[in-house]
Amino acid sequence: MFQLKNGWCRRQLPSDLGLCYSEHLELETGLALIRLHYHPRRPLIEETACPHQGRVLVVTLGVNGVSAFYQQKNSDLSFKAGHTTISTFANTPGERHYKANQSVSQLRLAVNEVWLQRYLGDERCNALLGDGHLHQLAFHHNSMATNSHIKALNRHNQPNINDMPNKLNAHIHALSLLAEQFEQLVPEPCKEKQVFSTQELERVEQARNLMNQNLDIDLTLSYLSHQVGLSEHKLKQGFQYLYNTSPKQLLTELRMHKAHTLLTSGYQVAQTAWMVGYRYPNNFSVAFTRFFGHAPKSVKSSGN
């Protein structure tokens, strides 16, 4: 283990095993960001034990490749590109398995029990952490929001950049990622589940489709609700229920992903801005940079 710039610590395996390292950054007490990259020359089995005190929760975001964690007594864990794996455990020795000549890249967020209690309270914390044995709480495809945060973290977590705003941005994206997962795993008890009929859900989807088909136009909530035949309040609740976001936030997501596609297709920044509803390219550039973590002019056309 050796120290890098800006608070990062690196642990690297001997070079004869291949390029295999992990980097650790403490964003705040009890919250750590870990970046892992392994490309072993031969099949690799790495014995590991939990370095944390007490119960801990880890969110693993697969970027490239696949790997697995095996333990004799409890459930095994799988990690796969494009998927989120959430696990909890206390002191859990086991083995991490990596295939020969295959790259594995992952981002992990590790939070301890004290951190979870501070942010979620005792009841939600205990519901997550359970009895301290190894448990897989979730394994699912990354959401659009998760993928956006991963891209931003990959940009901001470069350990060779001695720039405090990068660490701040990494912290913000890490908290946003955790908030998204917690809302799915242990929703706040004060929030009542909304009940929607099949017809109402179809109308919410219709509103989303209208937005997606008219990204160059500012469709107001009033207009959308009138077109699909739902009240504005019910439509907002429906967006939260189906997409876990507001109509305004979803519109931004749709616009940004469409903009990225246009830029990679060879459209200029000003053209792209107009096609996704921004009349001023500067406003578009600010929104795009905030969403993806890099400026639109840095996106390379697939034709280059």
Side-chain angles (χ1 to χ4, degrees), residues 212 215 253-263 272 275-276:
N212 199 32
L215 296 178
E253 279 193 27
L254 294 172
R255 282 175 164 174
M256 291 301 106
H257 287 289
K258 177 64 174 180
H260 197 280
T261 300
L262 291 171
L263 291 168
T272 300
M275 294 171 72
V276 295

Side-chain angles (χ1 to χ4, degrees), residues 1-11 21-27 32-36 106-108 153-163 166-167 170:
M1 181 82 69
F2 56 93
Q3 193 80 21
L4 298 174
K5 292 182 179 180
N6 203 16
W8 285 88
C9 292
R10 172 177 284 202
R11 174 182 172 274
Y21 64 86
S22 61
E23 295 164 343
H24 178 282
L25 177 66
E26 188 173 33
L27 296 172
L33 173 64
I34 301 103
R35 182 174 123 174
L36 177 142
Q106 297 167 356
L107 288 176
R108 296 178 189 158
L153 283 170
N154 275 329
R155 175 176 174 80
H156 293 305
N157 74 352
Q158 298 300 318
N160 60 334
I161 300 176
N162 190 15
D163 185 2
N166 285 327
K167 183 176 179 181

Side-chain angles (χ1 to χ4, degrees), residues 80-185:
K80 184 178 180 181
H83 289 70
T84 298
T85 304
I86 304 177
S87 55
T88 63
F89 46 85
N91 187 11
T92 305
E95 296 177 346
R96 295 188 181 276
H97 288 224
Y98 302 92
K99 296 180 181 180
N101 299 312
Q102 294 190 19
S103 292
V104 175
S105 297
Q106 297 167 356
L107 288 176
R108 296 178 189 158
L109 292 169
V111 293
N112 66 20
E113 186 171 351
V114 175
W115 189 95
L116 282 168
Q117 288 173 336
R118 184 167 70 250
Y119 278 86
L120 301 183
D122 289 342
E123 184 176 347
R124 296 176 75 199
C125 173
N126 287 325
L128 273 176
L129 295 179
D131 57 12
H133 291 123
L134 175 65
H135 293 290
Q136 179 176 290
L137 301 184
F139 178 76
H140 54 72
H141 286 282
N142 297 339
S143 67
M144 284 197 305
T146 294
N147 284 329
S148 297
H149 291 305
I150 291 173
K151 290 178 182 178
L153 283 170
N154 275 329
R155 175 176 174 80
H156 293 305
N157 74 352
Q158 298 300 318
N160 60 334
I161 300 176
N162 190 15
D163 185 2
M164 289 308 296
N166 285 327
K167 183 176 179 181
L168 174 61
N169 285 329
H171 196 173
I172 292 170
H173 287 288
L175 291 176
S176 298
L177 268 168
L178 289 171
E180 178 189 5
Q181 304 305 326
F182 294 157
E183 184 59 33
Q184 298 297 319
L185 293 171

